[in-house]
Coordinates of all heavy atoms in Angstrom, one line a residue:
M173 N -43.5 62.1 16.7 CA -43.4 60.8 16.1 C -43.9 60.9 14.7 O -44.9 61.4 14.4 CB -44.0 59.7 16.9 CG -43.9 58.3 16.3 SD -44.6 57.1 17.5 CE -43.9 55.7 16.8
F174 N -43.2 60.2 13.7 CA -43.7 60.1 12.4 C -44.9 59.1 12.1 O -44.8 58.2 12.8 CB -42.6 59.7 11.4 CG -41.6 60.8 10.9 CD1 -41.2 61.9 11.7 CD2 -41.2 60.7 9.5 CE1 -40.5 62.8 11.3 CE2 -40.4 61.8 9.1 CZ -40.0 62.9 10.0
E175 N -45.9 59.6 11.5 CA -46.9 58.6 11.2 C -46.5 57.5 10.3 O -45.5 57.7 9.6 CB -48.1 59.4 10.6 CG -47.8 60.0 9.3 CD -48.9 60.9 8.8 OE1 -49.6 61.8 9.6 OE2 -49.3 60.7 7.6
Q176 N -47.1 56.4 10.3 CA -46.8 55.3 9.5 C -46.6 55.5 8.0 O -45.6 55.2 7.4 CB -47.7 54.0 9.7 CG -47.2 52.9 9.1 CD -45.8 52.4 9.7 OE1 -45.6 52.4 10.8 NE2 -45.0 52.0 8.7
K177 N -47.6 56.2 7.5 CA -47.5 56.6 6.0 C -46.3 57.5 5.6 O -45.5 57.2 4.8 CB -48.8 57.4 5.7 CG -48.9 57.6 4.1 CD -50.3 58.2 3.9 CE -50.4 58.4 2.4 NZ -51.7 59.0 2.0
R178 N -46.0 58.5 6.5 CA -44.7 59.3 6.5 C -43.6 58.4 6.5 O -42.5 58.5 5.8 CB -44.7 60.4 7.4 CG -43.7 61.6 7.1 CD -44.0 62.8 8.0 NE -42.9 63.7 7.7 CZ -42.8 64.8 8.5 NH1 -43.6 65.0 9.6 NH2 -41.9 65.6 8.3
L179 N -43.5 57.5 7.4 CA -42.4 56.6 7.7 C -42.2 55.7 6.4 O -41.0 55.4 6.1 CB -42.5 55.9 9.0 CG -41.3 54.9 9.4 CD1 -40.1 55.8 9.7 CD2 -41.7 54.2 10.8
S180 N -43.2 55.2 6.0 CA -43.1 54.4 4.7 C -42.6 55.1 3.6 O -41.7 54.5 2.8 CB -44.6 53.9 4.4 OG -44.9 52.9 5.3
R181 N -43.0 56.4 3.4 CA -42.4 57.2 2.3 C -40.9 57.5 2.6 O -40.1 57.5 1.7 CB -43.1 58.5 2.2 CG -44.5 58.5 1.5 CD -45.0 59.8 1.0 NE -45.0 60.8 2.2 CZ -46.1 61.0 2.9 NH1 -47.3 60.5 2.7 NH2 -46.0 61.9 3.9
L182 N -40.5 57.7 3.9 CA -39.1 57.9 4.2 C -38.3 56.7 3.8 O -37.2 56.7 3.2 CB -39.1 58.1 5.6 CG -37.8 58.7 6.2 CD1 -37.5 60.0 5.7 CD2 -37.8 58.7 7.7
K183 N -38.8 55.4 4.1 CA -38.1 54.2 3.8 C -38.0 54.0 2.3 O -37.0 53.6 1.7 CB -38.9 52.9 4.4 CG -38.7 52.8 5.8 CD -39.4 51.6 6.4 CE -39.3 51.4 7.7 NZ -40.0 50.3 8.3
W184 N -39.0 54.5 1.6 CA -38.9 54.4 0.1 C -37.9 55.3 -0.4 O -37.1 55.1 -1.4 CB -40.4 54.8 -0.5 CG -40.1 54.7 -2.0 CD1 -40.4 55.7 -2.8 CD2 -40.2 53.4 -2.8 NE1 -40.3 55.2 -4.1 CE2 -40.2 53.8 -4.2 CE3 -40.2 52.1 -2.5 CZ2 -40.2 53.0 -5.3 CZ3 -40.2 51.1 -3.7 CH2 -40.2 51.7 -5.0
A185 N -37.9 56.5 0.3 CA -36.8 57.5 -0.3 C -35.4 57.1 0.0 O -34.4 57.6 -0.4 CB -37.0 58.8 0.5
C186 N -35.2 56.1 1.0 CA -33.9 55.5 1.2 C -33.3 54.5 0.1 O -32.3 54.3 0.0 CB -33.9 54.7 2.5 SG -34.0 55.8 4.0
R187 N -34.3 54.2 -0.8 CA -33.9 53.3 -1.9 C -33.3 54.3 -3.0 O -34.1 55.1 -3.6 CB -35.1 52.6 -2.5 CG -35.7 51.6 -1.5 CD -36.9 51.1 -1.9 NE -36.9 50.6 -3.3 CZ -36.9 49.3 -3.7 NH1 -37.0 48.2 -2.9 NH2 -36.7 49.0 -5.0
R188 N -32.1 54.4 -3.1 CA -31.3 55.3 -3.9 C -30.9 54.7 -5.2 O -31.1 53.5 -5.4 CB -30.1 55.9 -3.2 CG -30.5 56.3 -1.7 CD -31.4 57.4 -1.7 NE -30.9 58.6 -2.2 CZ -31.4 59.8 -2.0 NH1 -32.4 60.0 -1.2 NH2 -30.9 61.0 -2.6
G189 N -30.3 55.5 -6.1 CA -29.7 55.1 -7.3 C -28.4 54.3 -7.1 O -27.8 53.8 -7.9
M190 N -27.7 54.6 -5.9 CA -26.5 54.0 -5.5 C -26.7 52.9 -4.4 O -27.2 53.3 -3.3 CB -25.6 55.0 -5.1 CG -25.3 56.0 -6.2 SD -24.1 57.3 -5.4 CE -22.6 56.6 -5.4
L191 N -26.3 51.7 -4.7 CA -26.4 50.6 -3.7 C -25.6 51.1 -2.4 O -26.2 50.7 -1.4 CB -25.9 49.4 -4.3 CG -25.9 48.2 -3.3 CD1 -27.4 47.8 -2.9 CD2 -25.3 47.0 -4.1
E192 N -24.5 51.7 -2.5 CA -23.8 52.1 -1.3 C -24.6 52.9 -0.4 O -24.5 52.8 0.9 CB -22.6 52.8 -1.8 CG -21.5 52.1 -2.5 CD -21.8 52.1 -4.1 OE1 -22.8 52.6 -4.6 OE2 -21.0 51.7 -4.8
L193 N -25.5 53.7 -0.9 CA -26.4 54.6 0.0 C -27.5 53.7 0.5 O -27.9 53.9 1.5 CB -26.9 55.8 -1.0 CG -25.9 56.8 -1.2 CD1 -26.5 57.9 -2.2 CD2 -25.1 57.5 0.0
D194 N -28.1 52.8 -0.4 CA -29.1 52.0 0.2 C -28.8 51.1 1.4 O -29.6 51.1 2.4 CB -29.6 51.0 -1.0 CG -30.2 51.6 -2.1 OD1 -30.4 52.9 -2.1 OD2 -30.5 50.8 -3.0
V195 N -27.5 50.6 1.4 CA -27.2 49.8 2.5 C -26.8 50.7 3.8 O -26.8 50.1 4.8 CB -26.1 48.9 2.1 CG1 -26.4 47.9 0.9 CG2 -24.8 49.6 1.7
L196 N -26.7 51.9 3.7 CA -26.5 52.7 4.9 C -27.7 53.5 5.3 O -28.0 53.3 6.5 CB -25.5 53.9 4.5 CG -24.0 53.4 4.2 CD1 -23.2 54.7 3.7 CD2 -23.4 52.8 5.4
L197 N -28.5 53.8 4.5 CA -29.8 54.7 4.8 C -30.9 53.8 5.3 O -31.5 54.1 6.2 CB -30.1 55.6 3.7 CG -29.0 56.7 3.2 CD1 -29.4 57.3 1.9 CD2 -28.7 57.6 4.3
L198 N -31.2 52.9 4.5 CA -32.3 52.0 5.0 C -32.2 51.4 6.4 O -33.1 51.5 7.2 CB -32.8 51.0 3.9 CG -34.0 50.3 4.1 CD1 -35.3 51.2 4.3 CD2 -34.3 49.3 3.1
P199 N -31.0 50.7 6.6 CA -30.9 50.3 8.0 C -30.9 51.3 9.0 O -31.4 51.0 10.1 CB -29.5 49.5 8.0 CG -29.4 49.1 6.5 CD -30.0 50.3 5.7
F200 N -30.4 52.4 8.8 CA -30.5 53.6 9.6 C -31.9 53.9 10.1 O -32.2 54.0 11.2 CB -29.8 54.8 9.2 CG -29.8 56.0 10.1 CD1 -28.8 56.0 11.1 CD2 -30.8 56.9 10.0 CE1 -28.8 57.2 12.0 CE2 -30.8 58.0 10.9 CZ -29.8 58.1 11.9
V201 N -32.8 54.0 8.9 CA -34.2 54.3 9.2 C -34.8 53.1 10.1 O -35.6 53.3 11.1 CB -35.0 54.4 7.9 CG1 -36.4 54.5 8.2 CG2 -34.5 55.8 7.3
E202 N -34.6 51.8 9.7 CA -35.1 50.8 10.4 C -34.6 50.6 11.8 O -35.5 50.1 12.6 CB -34.9 49.5 9.6 CG -35.6 49.6 8.3 CD -35.4 48.4 7.3 OE1 -34.4 47.7 7.6 OE2 -36.2 48.1 6.4
E203 N -33.5 51.0 12.0 CA -32.9 50.6 13.3 C -32.6 51.7 14.3 O -32.6 51.6 15.5 CB -31.6 49.8 13.2 CG -31.9 48.5 12.5 CD -30.5 47.9 11.8 OE1 -29.3 48.3 12.1 OE2 -30.6 46.9 11.1
A204 N -32.4 53.0 13.8 CA -31.9 54.1 14.7 C -32.9 55.3 14.5 O -33.0 56.1 15.4 CB -30.5 54.5 14.3
F205 N -33.7 55.4 13.4 CA -34.4 56.7 13.3 C -35.4 57.0 14.3 O -35.5 58.1 14.8 CB -35.2 56.5 11.9 CG -36.0 57.6 11.5 CD1 -35.4 58.8 11.0 CD2 -37.5 57.7 11.6 CE1 -36.2 59.8 10.6 CE2 -38.2 58.8 11.2 CZ -37.5 59.9 10.7
A206 N -36.0 56.0 14.8 CA -37.1 56.2 15.8 C -36.5 56.8 17.1 O -37.2 57.5 18.0 CB -37.8 54.8 16.1
D207 N -35.3 56.5 17.3 CA -34.6 57.1 18.6 C -34.2 58.5 18.5 O -33.7 59.1 19.5 CB -33.3 56.2 18.9 CG -33.7 54.8 19.3 OD1 -34.9 54.5 19.8 OD2 -33.0 54.0 19.1
L208 N -34.2 59.0 17.2 CA -33.8 60.5 17.1 C -34.9 61.4 17.6 O -36.2 61.1 17.5 CB -33.6 60.8 15.5 CG -32.5 60.1 14.9 CD1 -32.5 60.4 13.4 CD2 -31.1 60.6 15.4
P209 N -34.6 62.7 18.1 CA -35.5 63.6 18.4 C -36.2 64.1 17.2 O -35.6 63.8 16.0 CB -34.8 64.8 19.0 CG -33.3 64.2 19.2 CD -33.2 63.1 18.5
Y210 N -37.5 64.5 17.3 CA -38.3 64.8 16.1 C -37.6 65.8 15.1 O -37.6 65.7 13.9 CB -39.7 65.5 16.5 CG -40.5 65.6 15.4 CD1 -41.3 64.6 14.9 CD2 -40.7 66.9 14.9 CE1 -42.1 64.8 13.7 CE2 -41.6 67.2 13.8 CZ -42.3 66.0 13.2 OH -43.1 66.2 12.1
E211 N -36.9 66.7 15.7 CA -36.2 67.7 14.8 C -35.1 67.1 14.0 O -34.9 67.4 12.8 CB -35.5 68.8 15.6 CG -36.4 69.7 16.6 CD -36.7 68.8 17.8 OE1 -35.8 68.2 18.4 OE2 -37.9 68.9 18.3
K212 N -34.4 66.1 14.5 CA -33.4 65.4 13.8 C -34.1 64.4 12.8 O -33.5 64.2 11.7 CB -32.5 64.5 14.7 CG -31.8 65.3 15.7 CD -30.6 66.0 15.2 CE -29.8 66.7 16.2 NZ -29.4 68.1 15.9
Q213 N -35.2 63.9 13.1 CA -36.0 63.0 12.1 C -36.3 63.9 10.9 O -36.1 63.6 9.8 CB -37.3 62.5 12.8 CG -36.9 61.5 13.8 CD -38.2 60.9 14.4 OE1 -39.3 61.5 14.4 NE2 -38.2 59.7 15.0
E214 N -36.8 65.2 11.2 CA -37.1 66.1 10.1 C -35.8 66.4 9.2 O -35.9 66.6 7.9 CB -37.7 67.3 10.6 CG -39.2 67.1 11.0 CD -39.9 68.2 11.3 OE1 -39.3 69.3 12.0 OE2 -41.1 68.4 11.0
T215 N -34.6 66.5 9.9 CA -33.5 66.8 9.2 C -33.0 65.6 8.3 O -32.5 65.8 7.1 CB -32.3 67.2 10.3 OG1 -32.7 68.4 11.1 CG2 -31.1 67.5 9.5
F216 N -33.2 64.6 8.9 CA -33.0 63.3 8.1 C -33.8 63.2 6.9 O -33.2 63.0 5.7 CB -32.9 62.0 8.9 CG -32.7 60.8 8.2 CD1 -31.4 60.3 8.0 CD2 -33.7 59.9 7.5 CE1 -31.0 59.3 7.3 CE2 -33.3 58.9 6.9 CZ -32.0 58.5 6.8
E217 N -35.0 63.6 7.0 CA -36.0 63.5 5.9 C -35.6 64.5 4.9 O -35.5 64.3 3.6 CB -37.4 63.9 6.3 CG -38.5 63.7 5.3 CD -39.9 64.0 5.9 OE1 -39.8 65.0 6.8 OE2 -40.8 63.4 5.4
R218 N -35.0 65.7 5.2 CA -34.5 66.7 4.4 C -33.1 66.2 3.7 O -33.0 66.5 2.5 CB -34.3 68.1 5.2 CG -33.9 69.2 4.2 CD -34.1 70.5 5.0 NE -33.3 70.7 6.2 CZ -32.2 71.2 6.1 NH1 -31.6 71.7 4.9 NH2 -31.4 71.4 7.2
L219 N -32.5 65.6 4.5 CA -31.2 65.0 3.8 C -31.5 64.0 2.5 O -30.8 64.0 1.7 CB -30.5 64.2 5.0 CG -29.2 63.5 4.5 CD1 -28.1 64.6 4.3 CD2 -28.6 62.6 5.6
L220 N -32.5 63.4 2.7 CA -32.9 62.4 1.6 C -33.4 63.1 0.3 O -33.5 62.5 -0.7 CB -34.0 61.4 2.1 CG -33.5 60.4 3.2 CD1 -34.7 59.5 3.6 CD2 -32.4 59.7 2.8
T221 N -33.6 64.4 0.4 CA -33.9 65.2 -0.7 C -32.7 65.6 -1.5 O -32.8 66.1 -2.7 CB -34.7 66.5 -0.4 OG1 -33.9 67.3 0.3 CG2 -36.0 66.1 0.3
C222 N -31.6 65.4 -1.0 CA -30.3 65.7 -1.6 C -30.0 64.8 -2.7 O -30.4 63.5 -2.7 CB -29.2 65.7 -0.6 SG -29.4 67.0 0.6
D223 N -29.1 65.2 -3.6 CA -28.7 64.2 -4.7 C -27.7 63.1 -4.3 O -26.9 63.5 -3.3 CB -27.9 65.1 -5.8 CG -29.0 66.1 -6.6 OD1 -30.1 65.8 -6.6 OD2 -28.4 67.1 -7.0
D224 N -27.7 62.1 -4.9 CA -27.0 61.0 -4.5 C -25.5 61.2 -4.6 O -24.8 60.9 -3.6 CB -27.2 59.5 -5.5 CG -28.6 59.0 -5.1 OD1 -29.4 59.4 -4.1 OD2 -28.8 58.0 -5.8
P225 N -24.8 61.8 -5.5 CA -23.4 62.1 -5.5 C -23.1 63.0 -4.4 O -22.0 62.8 -3.8 CB -23.2 62.9 -6.8 CG -24.3 62.4 -7.8 CD -25.5 62.3 -6.9
D226 N -23.9 63.9 -3.9 CA -23.7 64.7 -2.9 C -23.7 63.9 -1.6 O -22.7 64.0 -0.7 CB -24.7 65.9 -2.7 CG -24.4 66.9 -3.8 OD1 -23.3 67.1 -4.3 OD2 -25.4 67.6 -4.2
L227 N -24.7 63.1 -1.3 CA -24.8 62.2 -0.4 C -23.6 61.4 -0.1 O -23.0 61.2 1.0 CB -26.0 61.5 -0.3 CG -27.5 62.1 0.1 CD1 -28.6 61.1 -0.2 CD2 -27.4 62.6 1.5
F228 N -23.2 60.7 -1.2 CA -22.1 59.8 -1.1 C -20.9 60.5 -0.8 O -20.0 60.1 -0.1 CB -22.1 59.1 -2.7 CG -20.9 58.1 -2.6 CD1 -21.2 56.8 -2.0 CD2 -19.7 58.3 -3.2 CE1 -20.1 55.9 -2.0 CE2 -18.8 57.4 -3.3 CZ -19.0 56.1 -2.6
A229 N -20.6 61.7 -1.3 CA -19.3 62.5 -1.2 C -19.3 62.9 0.3 O -18.2 62.8 1.0 CB -19.2 63.7 -2.0
W230 N -20.5 63.3 0.9 CA -20.5 63.7 2.3 C -20.3 62.4 3.2 O -19.4 62.5 4.2 CB -21.8 64.3 2.7 CG -22.1 65.5 1.9 CD1 -21.2 66.4 1.4 CD2 -23.4 66.1 1.6 NE1 -21.9 67.4 0.8 CE2 -23.2 67.3 1.0 CE3 -24.7 65.7 1.9 CZ2 -24.3 68.1 0.5 CZ3 -25.8 66.5 1.5 CH2 -25.6 67.7 0.8
I231 N -20.9 61.3 3.0 CA -20.8 60.2 3.8 C -19.3 59.6 3.7 O -18.8 59.1 4.8 CB -21.8 59.2 3.4 CG1 -23.2 59.7 3.7 CG2 -21.6 57.7 4.1 CD1 -24.4 58.8 3.4
M232 N -18.8 59.6 2.5 CA -17.4 59.1 2.4 C -16.4 60.1 2.9 O -15.2 59.7 2.9 CB -17.2 58.7 1.0 CG -18.1 57.6 0.5 SD -18.1 56.1 1.4 CE -16.4 55.5 1.2
G233 N -16.8 61.3 3.2 CA -15.8 62.3 3.6 C -15.1 62.9 2.4 O -13.9 63.6 2.8
H234 N -15.4 62.8 1.3 CA -14.8 63.5 0.2 C -15.0 64.9 0.1 O -14.4 65.7 -0.5 CB -15.2 62.8 -1.2 CG -14.8 61.3 -1.2 ND1 -13.8 60.9 -2.1 CD2 -15.2 60.2 -0.6 CE1 -13.7 59.6 -2.0 NE2 -14.5 59.2 -1.0
Q235 N -16.2 65.4 0.6 CA -16.7 66.8 0.6 C -17.4 66.9 1.9 O -17.8 66.1 2.7 CB -17.7 67.0 -0.4 CG -17.0 66.9 -1.9 CD -18.2 67.2 -2.9 OE1 -19.4 67.5 -2.6 NE2 -17.9 67.2 -4.2
K236 N -17.4 68.2 2.3 CA -18.0 68.7 3.5 C -19.3 69.4 3.2 O -19.5 70.2 2.2 CB -17.2 69.7 4.3 CG -17.8 70.0 5.7 CD -16.9 71.0 6.4 CE -17.3 71.2 7.8 NZ -18.7 71.6 8.1
C237 N -20.5 68.9 3.8 CA -21.7 69.5 3.5 C -21.7 71.0 4.2 O -21.3 71.3 5.2 CB -22.8 68.7 4.2 SG -24.4 69.4 4.0
D238 N -22.2 72.0 3.3 CA -22.2 73.4 3.9 C -23.3 73.7 4.8 O -23.3 74.6 5.5 CB -22.3 74.2 2.6 CG -21.1 74.3 1.8 OD1 -19.9 73.9 2.3 OD2 -21.3 74.6 0.6
D239 N -24.4 72.8 4.8 CA -25.6 73.0 5.7 C -25.1 72.4 7.0 O -25.0 71.1 7.1 CB -26.8 72.4 5.1 CG -28.0 72.6 5.9 OD1 -27.9 72.4 7.2 OD2 -29.1 73.0 5.3
P240 N -25.1 73.2 8.1 CA -24.6 72.6 9.4 C -25.6 71.5 9.9 O -25.2 70.4 10.5 CB -24.6 73.8 10.4 CG -25.0 74.9 9.5 CD -25.3 74.6 8.1
E241 N -27.0 71.6 9.8 CA -27.8 70.7 10.0 C -27.7 69.3 9.4 O -27.6 68.2 10.0 CB -29.3 71.1 10.0 CG -29.7 72.1 11.0 CD -31.2 72.6 10.8 OE1 -31.7 72.3 9.9 OE2 -31.6 73.3 11.8
L242 N -27.6 69.4 8.0 CA -27.4 68.2 7.3 C -26.1 67.7 7.5 O -25.9 66.3 7.6 CB -27.5 68.6 5.8 CG -28.9 68.9 5.4 CD1 -28.8 69.3 3.9 CD2 -29.9 67.9 5.6
A243 N -25.0 68.4 7.7 CA -23.6 67.9 8.1 C -23.7 67.1 9.3 O -23.0 66.0 9.4 CB -22.7 69.0 8.1
E244 N -24.4 67.7 10.4 CA -24.6 66.9 11.6 C -25.3 65.6 11.4 O -24.9 64.7 12.0 CB -25.3 67.8 12.7 CG -25.4 67.0 14.0 CD -26.2 67.8 15.0 OE1 -26.9 69.0 14.6 OE2 -26.3 67.3 16.1
M245 N -26.4 65.6 10.5 CA -27.1 64.3 10.3 C -26.2 63.4 9.7 O -26.2 62.1 10.0 CB -28.3 64.7 9.5 CG -29.2 63.3 9.3 SD -29.6 62.4 10.8 CE -30.5 63.6 11.7
V246 N -25.3 63.8 8.5 CA -24.4 62.8 8.0 C -23.4 62.2 9.0 O -23.2 61.0 9.0 CB -23.7 63.6 7.0 CG1 -22.4 62.8 6.4 CG2 -24.5 64.0 5.8
S247 N -23.0 63.1 9.9 CA -22.1 62.5 11.1 C -22.9 61.6 11.8 O -22.2 60.4 12.3 CB -21.7 63.8 11.8 OG -20.9 63.3 13.0
I248 N -24.0 61.7 12.2 CA -24.8 60.8 12.9 C -24.9 59.4 12.1 O -24.8 58.4 12.9 CB -26.2 61.4 13.3 CG1 -26.2 62.4 14.4 CG2 -27.1 60.2 13.8 CD1 -27.5 63.2 14.5
V249 N -25.3 59.4 11.0 CA -25.4 58.2 10.2 C -24.0 57.6 10.1 O -23.9 56.3 10.3 CB -25.8 58.6 8.8 CG1 -25.8 57.4 7.8 CG2 -27.4 59.2 8.9
V250 N -23.1 58.3 9.8 CA -21.7 57.7 9.7 C -21.2 57.2 11.0 O -20.7 56.0 11.0 CB -20.7 58.8 9.1 CG1 -19.2 58.3 9.3 CG2 -21.0 59.1 7.7
N251 N -21.4 57.8 12.1 CA -20.9 57.3 13.3 C -21.7 56.0 13.8 O -21.1 55.1 14.4 CB -21.1 58.4 14.4 CG -20.1 59.4 14.3 OD1 -19.0 59.4 13.8 ND2 -20.4 60.6 14.8
R252 N -22.8 56.0 13.3 CA -23.8 54.8 13.7 C -23.2 53.6 12.9 O -23.0 52.5 13.4 CB -25.2 55.0 13.3 CG -26.0 53.7 13.7 CD -27.4 53.8 13.3 NE -28.1 52.5 13.5 CZ -27.9 51.4 12.9 NH1 -27.2 51.4 11.8 NH2 -28.5 50.3 13.0
V253 N -22.8 53.9 11.6 CA -22.3 52.8 10.8 C -20.9 52.2 11.3 O -20.6 51.1 11.4 CB -22.2 53.3 9.4 CG1 -21.3 52.2 8.6 CG2 -23.4 53.5 8.7
K254 N -20.1 53.2 11.8 CA -18.8 52.8 12.4 C -19.0 52.0 13.6 O -18.2 51.1 13.9 CB -18.0 54.2 12.7 CG -17.4 54.8 11.5 CD -16.6 56.0 11.7 CE -16.1 56.7 10.5 NZ -15.3 57.9 10.8
A255 N -20.0 52.4 14.6 CA -20.3 51.8 15.8 C -20.7 50.3 15.5 O -20.5 49.4 16.3 CB -21.2 52.5 16.6
Q256 N -21.5 50.2 14.4 CA -21.9 48.8 14.1 C -20.7 47.9 13.5 O -21.0 46.7 13.5 CB -22.9 48.9 13.0 CG -24.3 49.5 13.3 CD -25.0 48.9 14.4 OE1 -25.3 47.7 14.3 NE2 -25.5 49.6 15.4
G257 N -19.7 48.5 13.1 CA -18.5 47.8 12.8 C -18.4 47.0 11.7 O -17.8 46.3 11.1

């Protein structure tokens, strides 16, 4: 489990330069992050180190992420958004 300080930094990292990413990533952390296995939580944390244009392209399906772990995490985020409708 992530300690509170680390979780707070993660939420801050979800505040991106693109509003489109903010509205996807922050709710994911607040509502679904805690249910992920620890390894996936660490992958999500690593995902947030990526550049906004790359994140946006991956989430929108314009490009495929070459890193399999990050690609799977993008899929998890996107599928959650689709399920929320």
